[in-house]
Amino acid sequence: MIIIMRKDATDAQINNVVEKLKLHGFGIHLSKGVERTVVGAIGDKSLIELATIEMLPGVYEVVHIRKPFKLVSREFNPDDTVVNLSKSVAIGGREKIVVIAGPCSVEGEKEMLEAAEVVKAGGGVALRGGAFKPRSSPYSFQGLGEEGLKYLAEARKKTGLPIVTELLDTRDVGLVAKYADVIQIGARNMQNFELLKEVGKLKKPVLLKRGLSSTIEELLMSAEYILSEGNRNVILCERGIRTFETYTRNTLDLNAIPVIKKLSHLPVVVDPSHGTGKWDLVGPMAKAAIAAGADGLMLEVHPKPDEALSDGSQSLKPEVFNQLMRELKAVAQAVGREV
Amino acid sequence: MIIIMRKDATDAQINNVVEKLKLHGFGIHLSKGVERTVVGAIGDKSLIELATIEMLPGVYEVVHIRKPFKLVSREFNPDDTVVNLSKSVAIGGREKIVVIAGPCSVEGEKEMLEAAEVVKAGGGVALRGGAFKPRSSPYSFQGLGEEGLKYLAEARKKTGLPIVTELLDTRDVGLVAKYADVIQIGARNMQNFELLKEVGKLKKPVLLKRGLSSTIEELLMSAEYILSEGNRNVILCERGIRTFETYTRNTLDLNAIPVIKKLSHLPVVVDPSHGTGKWDLVGPMAKAAIAAGADGLMLEVHPKPDEALSDGSQSLKPEVFNQLMRELKAVAQAVGREV
Amino acid sequence: MIIIMRKDATDAQINNVVEKLKLHGFGIHLSKGVERTVVGAIGDKSLIELATIEMLPGVYEVVHIRKPFKLVSREFNPDDTVVNLSKSVAIGGREKIVVIAGPCSVEGEKEMLEAAEVVKAGGGVALRGGAFKPRSSPYSFQGLGEEGLKYLAEARKKTGLPIVTELLDTRDVGLVAKYADVIQIGARNMQNFELLKEVGKLKKPVLLKRGLSSTIEELLMSAEYILSEGNRNVILCERGIRTFETYTRNTLDLNAIPVIKKLSHLPVVVDPSHGTGKWDLVGPMAKAAIAAGADGLMLEVHPKPDEALSDGSQSLKPEVFNQLMRELKAVAQAVGREV
Amino acid sequence: MIIIMRKDATDAQINNVVEKLKLHGFGIHLSKGVERTVVGAIGDKSLIELATIEMLPGVYEVVHIRKPFKLVSREFNPDDTVVNLSKSVAIGGREKIVVIAGPCSVEGEKEMLEAAEVVKAGGGVALRGGAFKPRSSPYSFQGLGEEGLKYLAEARKKTGLPIVTELLDTRDVGLVAKYADVIQIGARNMQNFELLKEVGKLKKPVLLKRGLSSTIEELLMSAEYILSEGNRNVILCERGIRTFETYTRNTLDLNAIPVIKKLSHLPVVVDPSHGTGKWDLVGPMAKAAIAAGADGLMLEVHPKPDEALSDGSQSLKPEVFNQLMRELKAVAQAVGREV
């Protein structure tokens, strides 16, 4: 932390700042310039609410050195983390790109099995589907709950695909963990810290989606919650942020891919289905995500999108999914990887 | 819902859309123009995922008629809702403006009692303070938990002020409800729908904060969750949204006040402390909030802001709070109300 | 400027940074810590594109000290600037709040005179109206040009109200300056630096509107352009920023008022008509603006809003304007000022 | 346009709306439902300021059918527009992807020639460089003006590369057109409609950059200004939008590529240098842009980025540029195109 003093700061004010920082265990480097004095404070940011320093008399500005996260940072762990979704499917590292696909929500037994077959046939290596659905309206379909989890497990049994499904409530941790191979924390719960702490106590992989208006730093801080509880199997997911643009449902922020790769060792997947909200934008953005360095994709695929109970307009039909998978292979190869 | 067909839509495509809508129980109004056909669909939006209509062949655009909320709408209930915080303190309706004040987090017994005295002396009618704190870093102070709730209860006993405190986790509903007079749902949990359902089952007043990047419509939909479970004692709180502007911590959106007043019957309070993040902006924005029609204010007040464990830089010192209370009285009077 | 070196930065890298900065005339303060070295560079930011420092080997982060502006800053000039709109109307300083009102665009001679009478009768002290209109569609009404300026001048003659009108093009500086008492630079031209330089060469007051997505710092930098050319008669105008919220046309950012007051000595007016886009939100936000400390308001008033050629939905009818003026007087008085 | 009447709208109110619309030349389709009446109005949106309809008594909501643009729309011209930058270089259509590269600003004769050689050697087919620079501070380097244009012309002579350079002021149209092969309208001038009208009168290709906070629809409307004046040689450029994320300078919005391709026939280029503001993000985002379907790239390349007078931190060194060009070839091939 760097504290820049006002031009007219008195020696007493400077001393006061220094003493206050020392009290909180910071090491101090004082730099008196012609115009201003600058105080460098070195130590653990978590020991003090730094903003309070801003209020001390004579302080002009407090500058935080970025990167408050630790365990998730590439400085802490220079090697890419590899997360195992099942015995045969892993994500992270340099080569294999993982495609997770399936319907937005689990709608029924027959529909789920059908979707799973479509995913497998097209080359997907993991199955997604929500049994607990966070819906902005209380009057919308809220998911099948445990029944949905059972259908997912059945689909896994038939196809061998590991399953990724969302957890909404701390009270359901055990239930969801019993069925899921990967526990998804959705965008709306990215800063539900109690939920993060609970999945941090598990060993299961966690797929953590970026919040609609979360900075990349906040996403990494939320991942830090999980890692700090002991669970290092975290996959980050970019799924679109909220901007002023209204043509797309969200603005899929592919910049997040190289930024996260630089700052962290955790694998990154991209969800162009939620990210754009329109099925005909999914293909171009999926290819772009791979070209930008993503480790995987989450795609909404539905046997009959126009009958979907949620998010049908962003789901791919089987034949569109199959065609896209072929195109993704080519792009992956062009960047030295494979789907 | 209005479905606008493409200029080149065939009769078969139009019929298909109409049939699909009828199947979901919509009443249909067909309007064939020279250029385009427009299909009006009347019925309950919750019966179908409307977006899927957009995918049908020949459809140009689907237009949603705004206001998916019901119980919270002013159309449903034209009269202002009045919520009782205690036997003597009520919020909503035309006259009295309520000031809720206190520290960001409960830090200790002595500090809490001291803060409560400051609030009462200054003219605040309810006490705020967080015992469970949602912090973006796992290494920051996370609150005192039940111990903090006990200090709040003690402060209530001494001062008679009802207490407003945050609930983070569905597992703590009973615990927080045992102590709190008003349960606060924070900005990060505005779309934690499981939590909303739980507080919807209580009778206690709920203070629901707008999410950082939530539209006013989404805020009202989240309130709808609570009302639809049976709890009508909901207070809405504007506390700043996330924009590109970095000078302020958030952008306090005072436009939300008259907009909510128009759309809903629920009372609105404004939190200029979190909304701006800077104590010297709190005063002007508090006065502006009242001038714009707010029913109440939530202010951070701390006996010694520079020793606060959280958000000290946005907390008012006692003497600044007292001075502000005097100024607020004048502004309230100017708009025909009183503090 | 503060340069924070990487933990593993070598002495050679540190020296390289220092040398480079010295070369550009910066004074240097070196602070070697246990963990990192921090380089403070003191001098004129304009001498070097600071971002290039970020690229030097061993640099972790470059921190810019805020406030690149000079002439507009309150540090430079602690006293409020007072700008004269005419012999009898001045804006800025502590007491009088100025209401500028009129139609969005000049639509005809009769309409303009009628509007001017409405403004005067209601208590407005200056008249607004656009003769050159920046419209997002080439097919929308583009304004009457010089003819419109003439109608404005006529309205001034009849009512004595000084006129505020927009300038769009460097080629029209002379023309607009010939008629206008105050030259308005619209939101879309806030960073049209060539236009800013030209009005900077005049003596006429300039009303500079904040861009849709401009930070307060950028607004002040644009004002700096005008002052640096010699024209100190600048009025800043908050008129709404672009956010994700779609209920209002823009998000009127009243936080800007106290922030600008703190950073700069220039007067601030608020335009709640463009800021909200809805006439029934204008009143509450106008009152709030005054409570927050604005020095003036710009209001759209139209004798017959539903016949307006532009922005009718945000214009006040005469009787609504009159009523609002009465309410504004009360709020102004409550904050120790007068309308 | 669709007008949705209030549930309680009277027949007189409905008739009033209908009459008003007819008066403005709209064709009317009335649809009376059980709950509400819906009025469809067909005709030229430009004839009336539609927002004023919203104010009529009994109106609940007015819904605009999207796409107010005409000449730029794919409905108007289904085939991709191909714009010729020189006799041998064309952009648009299915195959060839065009790389435009060079320094942010023209800094000197020697530097410009050196940069041009680097661009040519690496495989760039057009040269960029600004002689007139829009800088947020009046104290920053403002460009070399005509001298810079001359250096660009010289570089063209030596290398054969057509030149792309920015125009800031209507007074300089002739001057810039004399030297440039392609006239760039920068992000800050995207809604400088007077400038758009002037370049619309030329035959020269215009590269129009998306504004920092402009929607895709607004970008297309600005292009419509140019086409409506007669110049059809317009290239659209995505260069990053402003969001809450601060890690990158802007948020490069690659979603814009497939969206524009769907809505318009004009070619699209992407500027990942300004879009991200960091040279090490340029490569991944450039590859992603091509995978998403861009017709070209604008890259900042500088022989010595750390000596650049502007935007050095986002410029590629020659060897990085060369390496990237090789990688781009592979990605282009994977999507059936070539660089």
Side-chain angles (χ1 to χ4, degrees), chain A residues 103-124:
Chain A
C104 181
S105 52
V106 183
E107 295 167 4
E109 189 176 10
K110 190 173 144 292
E111 291 83 353
M112 196 60 234
L113 292 176
E114 210 178 323
E117 295 294 355
V118 169
V119 170
K120 181 153 198 184

Side-chain angles (χ1 to χ4, degrees), chain C residues 20 139 169-170 224 306, chain D residues 20 139 169-170 224-225 306:
Chain C
K20 175 117 192 169
Y139 310 121
D169 190 338
T170 49
E224 185 84 18
D306 57 357
Chain D
K20 173 116 191 172
Y139 310 120
D169 190 337
T170 50
E224 185 84 16
Y225 260 95
D306 56 357

Side-chain angles (χ1 to χ4, degrees), chain B residues 282 288 307:
Chain B
V282 168
E307 291 178 7

Side-chain angles (χ1 to χ4, degrees), chain B residues 96-313:
Chain B
K96 189 76 184 173
I97 290 168
V98 165
V99 175
I100 304 163
C104 181
S105 51
V106 183
E107 294 168 5
E109 191 176 7
K110 188 173 145 292
E111 291 83 353
M112 196 61 234
L113 292 178
E114 208 178 325
E117 296 295 354
V118 169
V119 170
K120 180 152 197 187
V125 298
L127 187 63
R128 54 155 297 160
F132 296 98
K133 300 297 305 172
R135 304 302 300 274
S136 52
S137 165
Y139 309 120
S140 295
F141 174 60
Q142 307 270 321
L144 295 179
E146 185 168 7
E147 197 189 334
L149 295 174
K150 284 179 182 164
Y151 299 153
L152 279 167
E154 227 174 301
R156 172 177 50 198
K157 208 171 153 191
K158 285 236 172 162
T159 59
L161 300 174
I163 55 181
V164 182
T165 196
E166 185 164 358
L167 168 67
L168 290 182
D169 190 335
T170 50
R171 295 171 303 184
D172 296 329
V173 174
L175 178 65
V176 174
K178 187 175 138 199
Y179 293 95
D181 297 290
V182 179
I183 296 175
Q184 177 179 317
I185 303 294
R188 289 184 179 81
N189 281 312
M190 192 201 87
Q191 292 196 320
N192 184 338
F193 303 115
E194 301 308 308
L195 202 57
L196 298 179
K197 286 176 194 169
E198 289 304 318
V199 296
K201 290 173 193 156
L202 305 175
K203 298 271 171 262
K204 292 242 166 179
V206 176
L207 188 143
L208 178 64
K209 287 193 149 188
R210 182 182 182 185
L212 249 82
S213 67
S214 297
T215 62
I216 293 166
E217 188 175 305
E218 288 169 340
L219 171 61
L220 291 172
M221 287 307 292
S222 284
E224 185 83 19
Y225 260 96
I226 302 171
L227 270 78
S228 70
E229 294 285 339
N231 187 349
R232 310 221 155 183
N233 296 307
V234 175
I235 303 157
L236 302 174
C237 179
E238 160 63 32
R239 46 77 73 210
I241 56 173
R242 184 161 274 187
T243 69
F244 59 83
E245 176 61 62
T246 55
Y247 190 86
T248 45
R249 183 174 172 180
N250 298 295
T251 296
L252 188 68
D253 177 14
L254 296 187
N255 308 278
I257 304 167
V259 171
I260 292 173
K261 285 284 162 201
K262 196 167 137 186
L263 298 178
S264 176
H265 51 84
L266 296 173
V268 182
V269 305
V270 170
D271 177 348
S273 305
H274 280 93
T276 64
K278 307 208 169 186
W279 73 268
D280 54 355
L281 302 178
V282 168
M285 296 312 282
K287 286 183 272 182
I290 288 182
D295 298 305
L297 293 169
M298 265 196 118
L299 301 176
E300 284 193 12
V301 174
H302 195 285
K304 292 174 191 156
D306 57 357
E307 291 178 7
L309 291 176
S310 62
D311 290 343
S313 65

Side-chain angles (χ1 to χ4, degrees), chain C residues 20 46 49 51-52 54-56 70-71 134-139 142 168-171 188-189 191-194 197-198 212-215 218 221 224-225 228 242 279 305-313 315, chain D residues 20 46 49 51-52 54-56 70-71 134-139 142 168-171 188-189 191-194 197-198 212-215 218 221 224-225 228 242 279 305-313 315:
Chain C
K20 175 117 192 169
S46 59
E49 187 65 30
T52 64
E54 279 183 3
M55 305 182 65
L56 296 180
K70 296 176 189 176
L71 305 176
R135 305 302 299 274
S136 52
S137 166
Y139 310 121
Q142 307 271 320
L168 291 182
D169 190 338
T170 49
R171 295 171 303 182
R188 289 184 179 81
N189 280 311
Q191 292 196 321
N192 183 337
F193 302 116
E194 301 308 308
K197 286 176 194 169
E198 289 304 320
L212 250 82
S213 66
S214 297
T215 61
E218 287 168 339
M221 286 307 292
E224 185 84 18
Y225 260 96
S228 70
R242 184 161 273 187
W279 72 268
D306 57 357
E307 291 178 8
L309 291 177
S310 63
D311 289 344
S313 65
S315 295
Chain D
K20 173 116 191 172
S46 57
E49 188 66 29
T52 64
E54 278 184 4
M55 306 183 65
L56 296 179
K70 296 177 189 173
L71 304 175
R135 305 302 299 276
S136 51
S137 166
Y139 310 120
Q142 307 269 322
L168 291 183
D169 190 337
T170 50
R171 295 171 302 183
R188 288 184 179 81
N189 281 310
Q191 292 196 321
N192 183 337
F193 302 117
E194 302 308 308
K197 286 176 193 169
E198 289 304 319
L212 249 83
S213 67
S214 297
T215 62
E218 287 169 338
M221 286 308 292
E224 185 84 16
Y225 260 95
S228 71
R242 184 162 275 188
W279 73 268
D306 56 357
E307 292 179 5
L309 291 178
S310 63
D311 289 343
S313 66
S315 296

Side-chain angles (χ1 to χ4, degrees), chain C residues 90-149:
Chain C
I91 189 163
R94 281 308 305 156
E95 257 154 68
K96 189 78 182 173
I97 290 168
V98 166
V99 176
I100 305 164
C104 181
S105 51
V106 183
E107 295 168 3
E109 190 176 8
K110 188 172 146 294
E111 290 83 352
M112 197 60 234
L113 292 177
E114 208 178 324
E117 296 294 355
V118 169
V119 170
K120 181 152 197 186
V125 298
L127 187 63
R128 54 155 296 159
F132 296 99
K133 300 297 303 172
R135 305 302 299 274
S136 52
S137 166
Y139 310 121
S140 294
F141 174 60
Q142 307 271 320
L144 295 179
E146 186 168 7
E147 198 189 333
L149 295 174

